[in-house]
Amino acid sequence: MVSSVAWLVRQPSPVASRSPALNTAPEAWVLALHYTAPDVYAPGRMAIDARGNVWASNNWLPGTRNPSPYVTVQDPVGTPILDSPISGGGMKAGAWGIAIDHQGSVWVPSYGGDAMSKYSSTGKPLSPSSGFKNGDPNHPQGTAVDQKGNIWIANFYGLKGNPGQGSVIVYPHGDPSKAITITGGGLDHPFSLQIDGYGRAWVTNARLNGAKLLDSRVPKGHVGGSVTVIGPDFKPTSFSPVKDNSLDWPLGLAVDSKNNVWVPSFVSNSVTEIGPNGKVTGVYKLPTAIAPWSVAIDGSDRVWVAGFGAPSVSVLCGVNTSACPPGSSTGSLLSPPHGYRSDSIQHLTAIQLDQSGNVWGANNWSKLLPPTGGNGLVELIGVGTPVCTPLTPLPARPVTTGSTACPTRTSTQPR
């Protein structure tokens, strides 16, 4: 049967059509929108709230490598709202971390300020002018909220220091004054973390030699890396750290609806699947070298991959193979071999989905040499399966319309 795309391309064009016309069907018919709101520059990561608004951390000030004092927020069609850009609360160079808690407050690591910043759902700073420094954050990165409202922070320690440094900080029920600092379990310059259905935090260890890659931008040999799993009792699990040769500078991981964890590796150009028991269950090599930075899971458990080295978005079939084309298996590539590409897509560090199935990417760098900040956010319209936002913490499809479409999960019992 002829594909609908091929059929559409062959249809007669109206007299007033633009030229030149397409002679063959494109690889993919995906609409990419590029939003360039003020001060959305070198964005690190996004979090999408219950109203579909897109909050972003930003590394640099436009046209410079000076730390940005702004968090930005745009409505679902890319218009700045809440007087965005928002300053205050100790923000200095937002990093690869941002999360929304059960009250709708937004937590953002101040990478350059060695602090955590907090904002209300209306954009008001709720943290001190120097940010929250409880737990001794040192260049904090990934941030997540668990079922009980605890705030988890990957304490990265920056591009310098000693091997094996780093910790995870928890603000119980969002209270910085009760900060808990977790060490051990193989933590080594932890970069990102996500929460599974059991309330456990899965943490990528980028390691110091991997972090130094950002300075050289020339991958040489095996960089390594691992994943630490911390239980709801705030102690590393007995099977931590999870190690595998495929884990080669792992950065932004994600958890699917079945508690499988998906970890992209920047250097090995692959995505590793780890089961809930900490065992590696699959390694999926990407056919084109895109240097994947992070992943996100849609409402059909498909895995969306942000390409940093080669600006692109790739898609893998997840554990729900019934949501993939016939003949697909877990790990099958569903996008073109080099991913979805567009002039709108720059070097991506983050990828997220909203409740309409739109896929959002963070244009973190526009050029690799010399390093130049990326411009704004890119949105791929309607290509994914909708996901409840903010994450609760596992990806789930909205089940109804209205206020009960995406109830907040407060239990650590898996679905």
Side-chain angles (χ1 to χ4, degrees):
M1 181 178 291
V2 178
S3 73
S4 58
V5 171
W7 176 86
L8 182 61
V9 169
R10 292 209 307 262
Q11 297 313 296
S13 299
V15 174
S17 65
R18 296 178 182 270
S19 62
L22 291 175
N23 295 318
T24 59
E27 274 191 319
W29 201 293
V30 174
L31 176 61
L33 298 182
H34 189 189
Y35 299 117
T36 57
D39 289 291
V40 185
Y41 184 78
R45 197 182 189 210
M46 309 80 63
I48 301 173
D49 68 20
R51 296 180 177 85
N53 301 318
V54 184
W55 296 72
S57 59
N58 297 279
N59 297 166
W60 302 329
L61 283 170
T64 75
R65 295 189 69 182
N66 298 326
S68 173
Y70 298 121
V71 171
T72 53
V73 57
Q74 298 165 253
D75 69 12
V77 294
T79 304
I81 59 172
L82 307 181
D83 295 323
S84 178
I86 300 165
S87 62
M91 178 49 55
K92 183 180 180 182
W96 197 90
I98 185 168
I100 299 173
D101 67 19
H102 298 174
Q103 287 71 47
S105 298
V106 183
W107 294 82
V108 192
S110 175
Y111 184 87
D114 290 332
M116 288 298 297
S117 298
K118 180 183 180 181
Y119 303 91
S120 73
S121 60
T122 59
K124 178 183 177 181
L126 299 177
S127 45
S129 60
S130 59
F132 292 120
K133 295 191 177 276
N134 311 71
D136 296 323
N138 187 324
H139 294 77
Q141 289 272 17
T143 307
V145 181
D146 70 14
Q147 293 90 333
K148 296 180 180 179
N150 301 316
I151 310 301
W152 295 72
I153 306 151
N155 203 19
F156 180 59
Y157 267 71
L159 305 183
K160 299 178 181 179
N162 297 313
Q165 282 188 315
S167 61
V168 168
I169 301 170
V170 180
Y171 291 166
H173 304 290
D175 186 348
S177 70
K178 298 179 180 179
I180 298 169
T181 299
I182 303 166
T183 58
L187 289 172
D188 186 354
H189 290 264
F191 187 84
S192 72
L193 50 79
Q194 290 295 123
I195 309 299
D196 70 9
Y198 299 92
R200 301 177 299 184
W202 294 72
V203 190
T204 56
N205 294 300
R207 307 182 71 217
L208 181 61
N209 55 347
K212 288 181 176 178
L213 249 178
L214 285 178
D215 285 339
S216 67
R217 291 172 295 281
V218 181
K220 293 181 179 180
H222 182 66
V223 173
S226 63
V227 175
T228 296
V229 187
I230 302 172
D233 59 356
F234 309 133
K235 297 178 181 179
T237 61
S238 59
F239 56 80
S240 289
V242 178
K243 296 182 178 181
D244 192 80
N245 285 336
S246 65
L247 297 175
D248 211 359
W249 204 31
L251 296 172
L253 80 171
V255 185
D256 69 20
S257 70
K258 305 298 182 183
N259 292 291
N260 302 293
V261 181
W262 297 79
V263 190
S265 289
F266 190 94
V267 176
S268 64
N269 197 58
S270 62
V271 179
T272 302
E273 179 191 2
I274 305 173
N277 60 359
K279 301 294 185 181
V280 172
T281 53
V283 177
Y284 311 109
K285 190 81 173 180
L286 297 167
T288 304
I290 65 169
W293 191 288
S294 64
V295 295
I297 312 297
D298 74 9
S300 295
D301 278 324
R302 290 176 294 210
V303 183
W304 294 79
V305 186
F308 179 85
S312 60
V313 174
S314 300
V315 192
L316 302 179
C317 182
V319 295
N320 180 14
T321 56
S322 64
C324 305
S328 300
S329 58
T330 299
S332 292
L333 186 70
L334 306 182
S335 53
H338 52 262
Y340 298 124
R341 298 192 179 185
S342 163
D343 289 343
S344 299
I345 300 175
Q346 298 172 351
H347 299 278
L348 300 176
T349 51
I351 190 166
Q352 295 283 35
L353 286 106
D354 66 20
Q355 294 196 32
S356 296
N358 303 309
V359 174
W360 294 77
N363 284 336
N364 190 246
W365 287 13
S366 62
K367 290 194 300 184
L368 296 180
L369 291 173
T372 306
N375 190 6
L377 305 177
V378 62
E379 179 188 19
L380 306 184
I381 302 297
V383 292
T385 302
V387 170
C388 288
T389 59
L391 288 177
T392 60
L394 300 184
R397 297 179 67 170
V399 293
T400 62
T401 58
S403 60
T404 61
C406 296
T408 300
R409 288 198 64 208
T410 57
S411 170
T412 55
Q413 295 301 312
R415 287 182 174 86

